[in-house]
Amino acid sequence: MDESLSVCIWHNPRCTKSRAALARLEEAFPAEQVSVVRYLDAPPDRATLARVAALVSGGAAALLRAKEALAADLGVDASTDPERILDVLAAHPALIERPVLIGPGGACIARSAEALEGWIARARSSLQGQGEAEVSR
């Protein structure tokens, strides 16, 4: 499958919002277009975190679960230097906010229904445009 024609969710099955986002993606896209990464089992490396942080509104700080006790223990919050946040997230993937959606429409933290639906609309539009471009080649 062409990676540019897929959507990806960094998923934690224990998280209600992550489960809801995955269910919505499975409704919105064909199964072969949805890639599920259980990021606690297969954590993203620092370079991947940096690429996603560059795509997400709010950058590295948006990827951080700043209210977790571990974040406080490590002395990181949303005001921490983004490079330090990325180091912490790479070492402690449990501090990655969820669910993270990545695809042709960019990336987002889909904690709200509005963020989820907005991202799906952008991804569908991008995928549709890419599919039409592929056909016209």
Side-chain angles (χ1 to χ4, degrees), residues 5 39 42 70 90 110-111:
L5 297 178
Y39 68 93
L70 178 57
R111 301 236 7 115

Side-chain angles (χ1 to χ4, degrees), residues 2-73:
D2 184 346
E3 293 280 328
S4 67
L5 297 178
S6 66
V7 297
C8 176
I9 179 172
W10 288 359
H11 178 59
N12 179 344
R14 292 182 17 212
C15 173
T16 302
K17 291 185 186 287
S18 191
R19 289 193 310 268
L22 177 57
R24 183 65 185 99
L25 289 180
E26 289 172 337
E27 291 172 0
F29 300 98
E32 65 273 6
Q33 286 184 331
V34 179
S35 171
V36 179
V37 174
R38 293 176 73 160
Y39 68 93
L40 294 176
D41 297 333
D45 61 23
R46 191 185 185 291
T48 300
L49 288 163
R51 282 193 302 274
V52 172
L55 296 173
V56 141
S57 176
L63 291 175
L64 176 67
R65 292 180 59 82
K67 294 180 183 177
E68 294 291 321
L70 178 57
D73 292 346

Side-chain angles (χ1 to χ4, degrees), residues 20-137:
L22 177 57
R24 183 65 185 99
L25 289 180
E26 289 172 337
E27 291 172 0
F29 300 98
E32 65 273 6
Q33 286 184 331
V34 179
S35 171
V36 179
V37 174
R38 293 176 73 160
Y39 68 93
L40 294 176
D41 297 333
D45 61 23
R46 191 185 185 291
T48 300
L49 288 163
R51 282 193 302 274
V52 172
L55 296 173
V56 141
S57 176
L63 291 175
L64 176 67
R65 292 180 59 82
K67 294 180 183 177
E68 294 291 321
L70 178 57
D73 292 346
L74 295 170
V76 294
D77 61 27
S79 68
T80 301
D81 177 71
E83 296 300 318
R84 168 91 171 108
I85 292 173
L86 293 172
D87 290 340
V88 167
L89 294 176
H92 304 279
L95 291 177
I96 298 173
E97 188 59 272
R98 61 197 180 247
V100 178
L101 307 180
I102 308 158
C108 87
I109 310 295
R111 301 236 7 115
S112 71
E114 295 80 17
L116 175 61
E117 293 303 325
W119 186 87
I120 287 172
R122 289 188 305 279
R124 278 182 165 165
S125 177
S126 292
L127 287 170
Q128 184 176 31
Q130 287 180 11
E132 289 169 2
E134 290 291 318
V135 169
S136 66
R137 287 186 191 177

